[in-house]
Amino acid sequence: MTATHAAIVLAAGGSTRLGRPKQLLRRGGESLVARTVRLAAETRPCRLLVMLGACHDSVAATLVPSPRVELHEVPDWRDGLSASLVAAAHALRAHRGPVLVTGIDQPALGALHLRALLDGSRSVRSGCAVVMHGERPGAPAVLSHLLFSQVDALEGDRGFGALLAALPEDALFRLQAPSLAQDIDTPDDVRRLRAAGLLDRGD
């Protein structure tokens, strides 16, 4: 890995459908937010931003303090995903390289997924790489500086999916990773993922 990319961990959501902070669910004794930050750090980004909003203090308390990790509060986190991306873009306004973006609610996420995306982004002319969720490009993703600079066009609970989908087919690296389709939105998701061994039982 080179240190030309920045990394953003999106951890500001309110988990309204779940009824509890999904950031604090655990796998292997580690909170999902701490696990995701660790995996992102293993890619050796030049900057690593963690975007916090709901339950800011509780979520931040599960992270191991590190000078390599920047905690950024998103005041407008209730406005949805776009608020976190806009806040991150403002913090990265001097960055001119690619940006790795990931959420915290895919407990099957591994370091190999992130490395494959970064490697794949360097193999295509757009400089962008995504995980495919069926026919839809989604997170985690690597965004080129050019695409990431369009963040101000986003609004509500929408990310870069439409902009990525609009790229020519041969210009976008697509990672097929079916295990990453297992995300967390509802209590049923938690029960299913615990049964699969992807989340710790208890609490």
Side-chain angles (χ1 to χ4, degrees), residues 21 35 40 64 94 99 116 119 121-122 124 143 151 154 165 169:
R35 182 175 186 275
V64 177
V99 180
D119 288 344
S121 71
R122 291 190 284 269
V124 291
L143 309 175
V151 67
L154 304 179
E169 185 172 350

Side-chain angles (χ1 to χ4, degrees), residues 15-74:
S15 308
T16 53
R17 293 174 62 193
L18 183 61
R20 57 186 293 193
K22 65 178 74 175
Q23 300 94 321
L24 302 181
L25 295 171
R26 293 184 172 270
R27 180 177 179 186
E30 189 176 26
S31 73
L32 291 186
V33 63
R35 182 175 186 275
T36 307
V37 170
R38 174 175 58 78
L39 293 173
E42 288 176 8
T43 70
R44 299 183 180 179
C46 60
R47 292 180 64 185
L48 173 50
L49 282 62
V50 184
M51 312 310 293
L52 300 174
C55 304
H56 175 284
D57 292 341
S58 299
V59 174
T62 73
L63 300 175
V64 177
S66 169
R68 297 178 56 198
V69 178
E70 305 173 28
L71 304 185
H72 292 264
E73 188 161 5
V74 182

